[in-house]
Amino acid sequence: MDKELQRIADEVEMLSGKLKALKQEIGKVIIGQEETVSQLLITFLAGGHALLEGVPGLAKTLMIRTLANAIDLKFKRIQFTPDLMPSDIIGTEILEEDHTTGKKFFKFNKGPIFSNIILADEINRTPPKTQSALLEAMQEFEVTYGDKTYPLDKPFFILATQNPIEQSGTFVLPEAQQDRFLLYIKIGYPTQQEEETILKATTGSVKKKLNKVISGEDIIRLQQLVREVSISDALISFVSDVIRATRPETTTDSYVKDWVDWGAGPRAGQAMILTAKANALLEGRLAVTLQDIKSVALPVLRHRVLVNYRAEAEGITSDKVATHLLNAIELKGK
């Protein structure tokens, strides 16, 4: 048993080195935004999808493209527009002719969804009908067309971006689709020092060359190791207490009763534990701490806790609700 633990520890150390190298490669192009990059890597390790929100010019698209270029996986970018159709994403059948027999037949021509890393750029610019083309792929890792189902290559990630300030020509993502995203990541402005470095680095003639430092097999193995990271019963109870406290019908917290319409479901608890495990592994540890849970709680809950109209008018967001609960709920058995 000791030998097995040592083998896993050695493997974690080796793969952690590759994750550090991946961060360094991303850092060649992306200046600052370390928390956002870490949350993207957590999404990969936990085997989920991420929604990135930020105003134009914060390098959302560049960040995802840079991440994809440093990983030895197939990458496709889909620019979401109002006239985009579901077939533009999943593919369509085309009529072909067998030149030897002369018989005609339909052949499924696979769309860009058949890749490992998908950048769904400005996902809220396309109508819900087209957005829904992603739902089966995100949840089941497969695509159904007609009477046939086509499995997607693994690992498979959808990284979507959206602009929070422009309303004209955009469509709000349905709650069911938002829930498919493991993390909802908000990107803020850089610091003054970071911004000056960005201006210097991006207005010259030198272009950084990226190396592929980690493979798809490494990512799959890391996803398996995430499941093996240990978490105590006390921390699982803490996660459960937080999730249940977000629901107005089951909570005893007056803050939630006053400001929340709908709380988070069990999927939020699963997401919080998996991403906390991924955060621990990203830092080279094989056990979850309370800080791991608190560090992923906001991006896990911000799209799964819906505040009411009065809360919106008062500027009370789901982030504020989650922060309140993290501070109010105590860890049992400390």
Side-chain angles (χ1 to χ4, degrees):
M1 186 64 179
D2 290 340
K3 289 184 179 180
E4 179 66 14
L5 287 174
Q6 185 60 48
R7 184 190 65 79
I8 293 175
D10 292 342
E11 190 175 14
V12 168
E13 185 177 357
M14 182 269 292
L15 292 173
S16 294
K18 290 190 176 185
L19 288 173
K20 289 178 182 177
L22 179 58
K23 277 189 171 184
Q24 290 174 353
E25 289 299 306
I26 296 169
K28 289 180 180 179
V29 178
I30 303 300
I31 297 163
Q33 304 291 2
E34 292 182 5
E35 184 179 8
T36 301
V37 171
S38 292
Q39 289 176 351
L40 284 174
L41 294 180
I42 286 169
T43 303
F44 274 37
L45 298 183
H49 315 286
L51 176 63
L52 280 78
E53 181 181 280
V55 298
L58 294 182
K60 300 185 296 295
T61 301
L62 178 62
M63 190 181 301
I64 294 171
R65 186 183 292 276
T66 301
L67 176 61
N69 287 340
I71 301 176
D72 192 13
L73 289 172
K74 292 183 291 182
F75 169 70
K76 289 287 176 67
R77 175 179 181 265
I78 305 172
Q79 181 62 57
F80 279 69
T81 56
D83 60 346
L84 195 73
M85 298 296 291
S87 58
D88 296 325
I89 298 173
I90 64 174
T92 186
E93 285 186 333
I94 56 175
L95 186 63
E96 291 196 350
E97 182 178 344
D98 189 325
H99 296 294
T100 58
T101 63
K103 290 184 178 181
K104 295 183 179 180
F105 61 96
F106 284 100
K107 178 184 177 182
F108 181 62
N109 191 28
K110 293 181 178 180
I113 196 73
F114 288 89
S115 193
N116 297 111
I117 303 174
I118 307 296
L119 167 55
D121 214 357
E122 296 185 290
I123 190 172
N124 58 333
R125 284 193 173 277
T126 198
K129 177 182 178 181
T130 304
Q131 293 174 11
S132 67
L134 298 173
L135 290 177
E136 182 184 14
M138 293 174 73
Q139 188 66 30
E140 308 296 338
F141 296 92
E142 62 187 25
V143 168
T144 300
Y145 189 95
D147 59 350
K148 290 187 178 179
T149 298
Y150 302 88
L152 295 167
D153 293 336
K154 291 184 179 180
F156 175 74
F157 309 99
I158 289 180
L159 304 175
T161 69
Q162 69 176 12
N163 180 354
I165 59 174
E166 191 172 347
Q167 300 301 319
S168 177
T170 62
F171 303 84
V172 178
L173 268 64
E175 281 75 14
Q177 182 166 355
Q178 289 191 49
D179 196 40
R180 297 294 203 286
F181 288 103
L182 187 71
L183 295 182
Y184 180 1
I185 303 168
K186 289 191 175 182
I187 305 177
Y189 289 108
T191 64
Q192 181 174 350
Q193 184 178 356
E194 288 170 349
E195 192 154 0
E196 289 175 1
T197 307
I198 290 168
L199 295 175
K200 183 179 179 180
T202 57
T203 55
S205 58
V206 178
K207 288 190 176 181
K208 300 290 185 179
K209 182 181 178 182
L210 293 177
N211 301 306
K212 295 187 182 296
V213 295
I214 193 167
S215 68
E217 289 77 13
D218 291 331
I219 297 289
I220 289 174
R221 180 54 184 151
L222 282 163
Q223 290 176 352
Q224 294 169 345
L225 287 172
V226 163
R227 299 276 178 167
E228 296 180 23
V229 173
S230 65
I231 180 170
S232 67
D233 290 343
L235 287 175
I236 291 176
S237 294
F238 177 80
V239 170
S240 178
D241 289 344
V242 170
I243 299 304
R244 293 185 63 80
T246 65
R247 303 166 190 164
E249 62 271 23
T250 59
T251 189
T252 57
D253 194 299
S254 59
Y255 189 88
V256 173
K257 288 182 178 293
D258 287 342
W259 303 118
V260 176
D261 261 352
W262 296 98
R267 187 180 287 167
Q270 295 169 336
M272 198 178 295
I273 290 174
L274 268 180
T275 53
K277 287 185 173 188
N279 188 72
L281 191 65
L282 188 61
E283 296 183 0
R285 291 181 283 105
L286 288 172
V288 173
T289 66
L290 180 61
Q291 187 55 44
D292 289 322
I293 292 170
K294 289 187 174 183
S295 67
V296 300
L298 296 189
V300 166
L301 292 175
R302 65 169 49 114
H303 55 306
R304 294 182 169 101
V305 175
L306 304 181
V307 297
N308 55 38
Y309 289 112
R310 290 191 304 109
E312 291 178 1
E314 295 291 333
I316 294 174
T317 63
S318 56
D319 278 9
K320 289 185 177 180
V321 173
T323 301
H324 165 78
L325 291 175
L326 291 173
N327 293 329
I329 296 173
E330 294 185 0
L331 177 64
K332 298 171 184 173
K334 288 194 294 183

